[in-house]
């Protein structure tokens, strides 16, 4: 059975623009990252992060989900689903534990600190919102996608 495209909730996505000089040493592209959130029903952009100079797509996807959960939590909206097309980020959120292998250095510390703060927030607040996989194959591109593929 084909499930219908979701009509309610928030959808998040991230972008990582790798520097052409960056070697993929740990299996992930590193570069400038940013993330955003859209309301599925209205199509309105709820938030956009600033561009961060150095990180990975998984960390940015994770931060997008946690930022959306935090916003919903602050507004008492505990039943609104959050969709992401990143299985890794959804897993990290559901486990309330990240598994990034990004090396800690002067370039990476700002984003790693955000990731660690997000993890502590998740562990302390335990948001109830369902975090669900956006099925790109069935529903088309994630509405929060940056369109840079």
């Amino acid at each position: 059975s084909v499930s219908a495209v979701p009509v309610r909730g928030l959808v998040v996505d991230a972008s990582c623009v790798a520097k052409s000089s960056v070697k993929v040493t740990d299996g992930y592209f590193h570069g400038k990252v940013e993330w955003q959130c859209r309301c599925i029903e209205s199509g309105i952009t709820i938030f956009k992060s600033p561009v961060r100079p150095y990180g990975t797509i998984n960390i940015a996807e994770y931060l997008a989900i946690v930022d959306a959960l935090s916003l919903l939590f602050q507004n008492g909206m505990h039943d609104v689903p959050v969709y992401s097309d990143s299985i890794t980020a959804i897993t990290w959120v559901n486990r309330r534990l990240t598994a990034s292998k990004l090396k800690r250095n002067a370039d990476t510390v700002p984003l790693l600190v955000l990731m660690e703060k997000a993890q502590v927030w998740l562990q302390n607040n335990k948001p109830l919102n369902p975090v669900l996989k956006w099925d790109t194959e069935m529903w088309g591109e994630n509405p929060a996608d940056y369109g840079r593929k």
Side-chain angles (χ1 to χ4, degrees), residues 62-80:
Y62 171 78
L63 290 169
I65 296 170
V66 178
D67 284 356
L69 289 171
S70 174
L71 186 69
L72 292 167
F73 189 89
Q74 289 167 23
N75 288 287
M77 301 170 77
H78 305 293
D79 63 337
V80 176

Side-chain angles (χ1 to χ4, degrees), residues 1-6 135 138-139:
S1 77
V2 176
S3 70
V5 177
D135 190 334
M138 195 174 300
W139 303 330

Side-chain angles (χ1 to χ4, degrees), residues 9-10 14 17 19-20 35 37 39 50 53-56 60-61 65 68 73 95 101 105 110 112-113 121 126 139 148:
L10 299 182
V17 179
K19 297 175 186 169
S20 57
W35 54 94
C37 174
C39 172
Y54 199 84
T56 68
E61 296 268 10
I65 296 170
F73 189 89
R95 290 183 180 161
K101 293 177 180 68
N105 60 41
L112 289 173
V113 166
W121 184 87
K126 300 182 177 51
W139 303 330
R148 296 182 181 151

Side-chain angles (χ1 to χ4, degrees), residues 42-116:
S42 69
I44 293 170
T45 299
I46 306 297
F47 65 76
K48 282 182 178 237
S49 76
V51 175
R52 305 289 176 163
Y54 199 84
T56 68
I57 192 70
N58 286 337
I59 295 173
E61 296 268 10
Y62 171 78
L63 290 169
I65 296 170
V66 178
D67 284 356
L69 289 171
S70 174
L71 186 69
L72 292 167
F73 189 89
Q74 289 167 23
N75 288 287
M77 301 170 77
H78 305 293
D79 63 337
V80 176
V82 175
Y83 290 87
S84 167
D85 56 17
S86 170
I87 292 168
T88 298
I90 293 168
T91 301
W92 290 358
V93 168
N94 289 336
R95 290 183 180 161
R96 291 177 169 70
L97 192 63
T98 57
S100 176
K101 293 177 180 68
L102 188 62
K103 299 272 185 282
R104 198 174 202 92
N105 60 41
D107 289 332
T108 63
V109 161
L111 203 66
L112 289 173
V113 166
L114 281 180
M115 181 183 76
E116 290 155 4

